[in-house]
Amino acid sequence: MTVKSGLPGHFVHIRARYRKFFEALDELGRTARQEGPLDERTAHLVQLAASAAIRSEGAVHSHTRRALDAGAAPDEIYHTIILLTSTIGFPNAAAALSWIEDVIENKPEEK
């Protein structure tokens, strides 16, 4: 089940139930991105690659959305996964590419 935010319904319910925990996770993510020289776009591409490597469909969806919001072009997102093929194997890369498509194909057009 997906809600209007584009987030999976189960994620929204867990986040609502454990609000303080998710606030801490959000703060950890913000702090980690601010601690180094990588810009937010690059940081989300790195996190996208890690998400693909561990075969986390939800995290691939999340970091695809976040990378797009941070200014990454769809071609950069696809290339991030293509670069992993020799490391994580073609089947894993193909799965991640399909999860990226879920987000890019359903992203509302900007006006």
Side-chain angles (χ1 to χ4, degrees):
M1 174 170 125
T2 301
V3 294
K4 284 185 179 181
S5 67
L7 299 173
H10 70 278
F11 175 83
V12 172
H13 293 294
I14 293 169
R15 185 175 65 181
R17 184 173 186 174
Y18 300 103
R19 190 169 302 131
K20 285 185 181 183
F21 175 74
F22 275 87
E23 287 172 4
L25 279 177
D26 288 343
E27 184 58 31
L28 175 62
R30 271 191 297 280
T31 300
R33 284 189 298 279
Q34 293 169 357
E35 281 299 304
L38 296 179
D39 60 29
E40 189 168 351
R41 180 186 128 289
T42 304
H44 285 300
L45 291 173
V46 168
Q47 290 177 300
L48 171 62
S51 300
I54 64 168
R55 293 188 51 87
S56 176
E57 182 177 358
V60 168
H61 286 160
S62 176
H63 288 293
T64 298
R65 279 192 297 273
R66 292 171 186 220
L68 288 167
D69 290 346
D75 284 346
E76 293 174 308
I77 291 169
Y78 293 123
H79 191 220
T80 296
I81 302 306
I82 293 297
L83 287 169
L84 296 175
T85 304
S86 64
T87 305
I88 67 172
F90 177 74
N92 293 330
L97 290 168
S98 74
W99 301 331
I100 288 167
E101 283 290 316
D102 293 343
V103 174
I104 291 177
E105 287 182 0
N106 293 311
K107 187 159 177 61
E109 292 292 322
E110 305 236 343
K111 295 179 182 179

